[in-house]
Amino acid sequence: MRLYCYTYYAEKILQEGYLSVAANPNPKQLEMYARKAGSENFEDIKRYLEKTLPGRTKSISCLTEKAPVEDYEHPYLHHLVHNAAVVSFELDDLLKDGLIETIYCKDNSETAKTDIDFENIHEIKNPAEIDTSPLDWHGCIPRYGSPYNMLRHYILVLSKGIIPPAYLTLEK
């Protein structure tokens, strides 16, 4: 099964690998968690992430499909789809080679409408449980926060905090 990640750093990722927070302790990438963590301090944010989900600092988020290149109401999603690159990988290869410890699904598409801070996350025991039905890209609207609050996505806890470059493909 092919999974997809949007990024503004495709060249770097293709050279160095897709790095988790643990493998690339860059406070800039944690800004989106500062509000929920109640702090802008890097260590506080890492502690918050680990409390929400064991291994979250060694994880990356990914989607089961790329968004259609269309206009979107959500300004961040619109910018992402029209300006970011998409890197993909085969989940089966990562599993076969022992690069994944745990898979979680985060689906706040309904809960974000009533409680924007609630994280509806559950563990996926078998990759066959991954839902590949179409995502509702146009359901992402600014009042529900980040597009990832409204898009079902998967959190992969990586055994070493990295997907090596050999597993990654730049999508066209």
Side-chain angles (χ1 to χ4, degrees):
M1 172 184 311
R2 196 133 202 95
L3 295 175
Y4 305 89
C5 303
Y6 281 86
T7 181
Y8 294 107
Y9 307 102
E11 284 185 34
K12 184 175 181 172
I13 287 171
L14 292 170
Q15 290 175 3
E16 298 177 12
Y18 202 111
L19 305 175
S20 66
V21 171
N24 180 29
N26 177 356
K28 179 76 175 147
Q29 75 186 73
L30 295 179
E31 287 177 354
M32 67 181 147
Y33 299 110
R35 183 181 64 79
K36 289 182 179 181
S39 173
E40 292 183 13
N41 177 279
F42 182 52
E43 293 303 318
D44 292 341
I45 293 170
K46 287 193 315 186
R47 275 191 292 282
Y48 160 78
L49 288 172
E50 285 298 321
K51 276 199 281 186
T52 64
L53 172 61
R56 196 164 187 179
T57 57
K58 292 191 318 179
S59 72
I60 60 141
S61 294
C62 52
L63 299 157
T64 55
E65 67 181 38
K66 297 184 295 183
V69 180
E70 300 173 356
D71 292 335
Y72 294 97
E73 179 181 344
H74 197 292
Y76 176 71
L77 178 60
H78 183 83
H79 188 268
L80 189 72
V81 169
H82 291 276
N83 296 288
V86 178
V87 173
S88 68
F89 52 87
E90 282 294 331
L91 177 62
D92 298 335
D93 293 343
L94 299 181
L95 290 166
K96 177 179 59 88
D97 292 345
L99 297 176
I100 296 178
E101 289 180 3
T102 314
I103 301 172
Y104 293 96
C105 176
K106 181 175 177 183
D107 187 355
N108 291 356
S109 57
E110 291 304 315
T111 56
K113 294 175 183 176
T114 56
D115 182 356
I116 200 164
D117 290 325
F118 179 76
E119 291 194 302
N120 185 22
I121 299 174
H122 65 276
E123 186 174 348
I124 299 293
K125 299 286 188 191
N126 181 335
E129 296 174 31
I130 292 176
D131 184 349
T132 58
S133 63
L135 297 171
D136 180 11
W137 297 95
H138 289 285
C140 300
I141 54 178
R143 78 171 174 253
Y144 300 136
S146 165
Y148 287 94
N149 278 345
M150 298 303 295
L151 294 171
R152 176 189 67 250
H153 61 283
Y154 292 87
I155 300 169
L156 308 180
V157 178
L158 305 171
S159 57
K160 295 182 181 170
I162 182 173
I163 299 176
Y167 294 88
L168 302 170
T169 301
L170 180 64
E171 293 288 314
K172 303 228 184 307

